Amino acid sequence: MKKGTITLIVIAVVVVILFFWMKNTYNGMINMREGVKAQWANVENQYQRRSDLIPNLVNTVKGYAAHESSTLEAVTAARSKATQTQINFDQLDEQTLQKYNQAQGEVSSVLSRLMAISESYPDLKANQNFRDLQVQLEGTENRISVERRKFNESAQNYNRYIMQFPRNLFASMFGFKETPYFAAQEGSEQAPKVEF
């Protein structure tokens, strides 16, 4: 074989190897981003499930604790604000995630107050519908926590993948950006003070 032919074969092999490496890297980034996007949908799904339970819970409490209208209105307002806070995954960044997290945190806060009110109404606590809704709400809160954790894990794997050299060069070239994480809300590092 001639020296020129061997050089062309080596160049062709290198080009083919680079092509497949780039193709696999790009497709890997797409697959991981889609995994993060799917996990985000799971988080939103659980928050939506919680929002769907709230009207039934408010109506049940309203029948027993009508004079707690300020708390019931706060729950309804927080739910409304949270459902209006929609995020397009492709525009997800630290600021929009923080805004979303804050709106959902307000719902959690007013729901806690609503559950505390039930302690003052023995008939409400004994109501089977209320107890069923309370169990469903507790289960949903657990699911939210699990889905948020899974989202953070998925985002971490994706972020790590796109930030490693030399993939970071392709990530920036093709517009792949880091995905933000859910973080604990301010003040959650301190246990609530309970007094009887």
Side-chain angles (χ1 to χ4, degrees):
M1 282 191 160
K2 292 184 178 180
K3 194 175 185 180
T5 306
I6 292 174
T7 305
L8 285 177
I9 291 172
V10 169
I11 291 173
V13 168
V14 169
V15 167
V16 168
I17 289 171
L18 279 174
F19 169 77
F20 282 107
W21 179 80
M22 290 174 65
K23 177 181 143 304
N24 290 339
T25 299
Y26 181 81
N27 289 342
M29 289 181 199
I30 292 291
N31 289 335
M32 292 186 88
R33 184 176 64 187
E34 289 302 309
V36 174
K37 190 183 281 190
Q39 195 55 50
W40 174 254
N42 290 342
V43 169
E44 286 186 315
N45 186 33
Q46 292 307 319
Y47 277 124
Q48 183 60 50
R49 185 178 194 285
R50 179 176 72 176
S51 288
D52 292 345
L53 290 172
I54 290 173
N56 293 333
L57 188 63
V58 167
N59 287 334
T60 301
V61 172
K62 199 182 290 184
Y64 289 89
H67 64 280
E68 302 285 354
S69 63
S70 64
T71 302
L72 297 173
E73 289 169 7
V75 171
T76 303
R79 176 189 180 265
S80 176
K81 181 179 177 183
T83 55
Q84 289 174 2
T85 306
Q86 298 295 320
I87 297 177
N88 179 347
F89 179 80
D90 294 325
Q91 297 168 346
L92 185 65
D93 60 12
E94 288 284 339
Q95 186 178 12
T96 55
L97 184 60
Q98 186 177 21
K99 181 180 172 186
Y100 184 83
N101 202 21
Q102 183 179 7
Q104 296 299 337
E106 289 175 19
V107 173
S108 295
S109 176
V110 294
L111 280 175
S112 295
R113 287 196 321 231
L114 184 65
M115 291 303 158
I117 286 173
S118 71
E119 297 298 320
S120 302
Y121 298 93
D123 291 342
L124 174 60
K125 284 175 53 177
N127 179 287
Q128 186 63 41
N129 189 34
F130 178 77
R131 288 194 320 235
D132 290 346
L133 288 167
Q134 190 174 19
V135 167
Q136 287 184 44
L137 194 59
E138 288 169 2
T140 299
E141 291 295 335
N142 289 335
R143 287 186 194 109
I144 289 170
S145 177
V146 167
E147 295 303 336
R148 283 173 51 138
R149 180 184 51 77
K150 287 180 180 179
F151 173 81
N152 281 349
E153 289 170 357
S154 181
Q156 180 184 31
N157 291 334
Y158 167 73
N159 290 343
R160 186 181 304 130
Y161 187 81
I162 67 168
M163 290 188 317
Q164 291 176 344
F165 181 80
R167 289 188 290 252
N168 62 341
L169 302 174
F170 295 109
S172 63
M173 192 169 30
F174 292 113
F176 290 94
K177 298 175 186 163
E178 284 185 61
T179 299
Y181 303 108
F182 274 105
Q185 294 184 330
E186 280 187 39
S188 64
E189 68 278 355
Q190 297 174 0
K193 188 176 182 181
V194 179
E195 294 179 4
F196 294 100

